[in-house]
Amino acid sequence: MHNKTFNVDRKVVITGGRNIADEYFDYDHEYNFRDRDVLLIGKEVSSVTNSFEDFWESPISVPVENLVSKDQLINYSKDTFNKLHEYCCDPANFWPQIREQIKQLPLLFDEIKNSGALVWVDHVRFISDMPGKNQTTKGLGGGGVSTSALIELVKKSKHSIAIQTPYLITTPLSESLFSAAVKRGVEIKILTNSLASTDNLEAFSSYQKNRNKLLETGVQIFEFKPDACRSKKTNDRRIT
């Protein structure tokens, strides 16, 4: 974006891989996850909105009432709301400082702008698959717009590629693409979960099986420590 004027009235979207649960917002009493969010401002916001509406309006998106029986639906009574409100008012579950920060959110945008921490770029492209891309007789066929775009990005990369993913599952195709990129001088760094920092053992087992093959291509892999949330040192560990 060449125009760096900032106006909170402009279209803004926050997107990323964050799930909606206590453990994604530092409110779980036992274990919390780290996720990456992106604050996007500008004309590409409309592309994100259009993609959301495509999925929301798609015939394959149905109300939850169509998927479960009535006796499985939670009855959100007034008592349920009162209990949730009581839980959130407990400082042990929802810090008063956070409430104050939420109140100050309109002022926060100006603070971010003036801090110099906001990263402005000349071009952003939002890429999304279409609903129903895997509706084939053979089940989940994969592929799609996102796959093609990622392949093209790797093929055209000239200097570096940085990837952050909780589940690093590769195929012979991706390993071949990474190997070719490294050979032409592209530095590739990938940050992913360690066995101790993930709760998805199935995904990790697949990654662990192919990890050495990936390292042989020249890719640099970093894994999160199990105590990354509390560590004051670097949050990753190089695999050698």
Side-chain angles (χ1 to χ4, degrees):
M1 278 183 285
H2 294 287
N3 181 7
K4 296 186 180 181
T5 57
F6 192 91
N7 186 337
V8 294
D9 291 330
R10 295 171 62 184
K11 287 186 175 181
V12 177
V13 68
I14 298 176
T15 184
R18 189 184 298 271
N19 293 311
I20 305 300
D22 286 355
E23 57 267 29
Y24 291 89
F25 293 89
D26 281 344
Y27 287 115
D28 190 90
H29 291 252
E30 295 182 7
Y31 197 89
N32 289 284
F33 294 103
R34 284 288 177 266
D35 270 321
R36 180 77 65 201
D37 292 321
V38 176
L39 173 66
L40 184 61
I41 306 167
K43 64 180 183 179
E44 201 64 14
V45 169
S46 60
S47 299
V48 182
T49 303
N50 292 337
S51 175
F52 178 86
E53 290 178 351
D54 285 339
F55 279 90
W56 187 264
E57 300 295 339
S58 171
I60 62 175
S61 295
V62 297
V64 66
E65 291 85 355
N66 294 1
L67 300 176
V68 298
S69 59
K70 289 184 178 181
D71 58 343
Q72 290 177 298
L73 292 173
I74 299 174
N75 180 20
Y76 289 107
S77 63
K78 186 176 180 180
D79 184 58
T80 302
F81 174 82
N82 289 338
K83 288 180 179 178
L84 286 172
H85 184 70
E86 182 181 340
Y87 178 87
C88 292
C89 287
D90 186 344
N93 302 317
F94 199 91
W95 302 326
Q97 300 96 310
I98 301 299
R99 287 189 191 281
E100 190 58 34
Q101 289 181 5
I102 293 174
K103 291 179 182 178
Q104 299 299 321
L105 189 59
L107 301 176
L108 183 61
F109 286 102
D110 282 335
E111 290 182 14
I112 295 174
K113 179 191 69 173
N114 297 329
S115 70
L118 197 63
V119 178
W120 296 95
V121 295
D122 293 327
H123 179 68
V124 171
R125 182 161 60 112
F126 176 75
I127 301 168
S128 174
D129 288 311
M130 295 300 296
K133 73 166 188 175
N134 283 318
Q135 287 184 315
T136 66
T137 55
K138 297 181 180 179
L140 300 180
V145 176
S146 297
T147 299
S148 299
L150 288 171
I151 290 174
E152 195 65 19
L153 284 172
V154 174
K155 286 183 176 179
K156 290 184 176 180
S157 60
K158 298 179 180 179
H159 305 291
S160 64
I161 298 173
I163 299 174
Q164 179 179 325
T165 175
Y167 314 123
L168 181 57
I169 301 175
T170 57
T171 63
L173 172 59
S174 57
E175 291 159 9
S176 174
L177 288 168
F178 289 150
S179 178
V182 171
K183 287 178 181 178
R184 63 175 184 269
V186 177
E187 181 182 55
I188 302 179
K189 293 183 177 180
I190 303 177
L191 174 62
T192 190
N193 277 322
S194 63
L195 176 59
S197 66
T198 185
D199 62 342
N200 192 326
L201 298 181
E202 293 82 2
F204 185 86
S205 63
S206 179
Y207 151 64
Q208 189 178 40
K209 205 163 45 174
N210 295 326
R211 183 167 52 191
N212 287 336
K213 285 183 181 179
L214 195 55
L215 288 169
E216 289 171 1
T217 67
V219 169
Q220 300 176 57
I221 303 177
F222 299 79
E223 291 185 357
F224 266 103
K225 293 180 179 180
D227 59 346
C229 300
R230 299 182 297 276
S231 176
K232 293 183 179 180
K233 298 180 181 179
T234 179
N235 284 345
D236 48 67
R237 174 170 57 85
R238 174 80 176 271
I239 299 176
T240 56

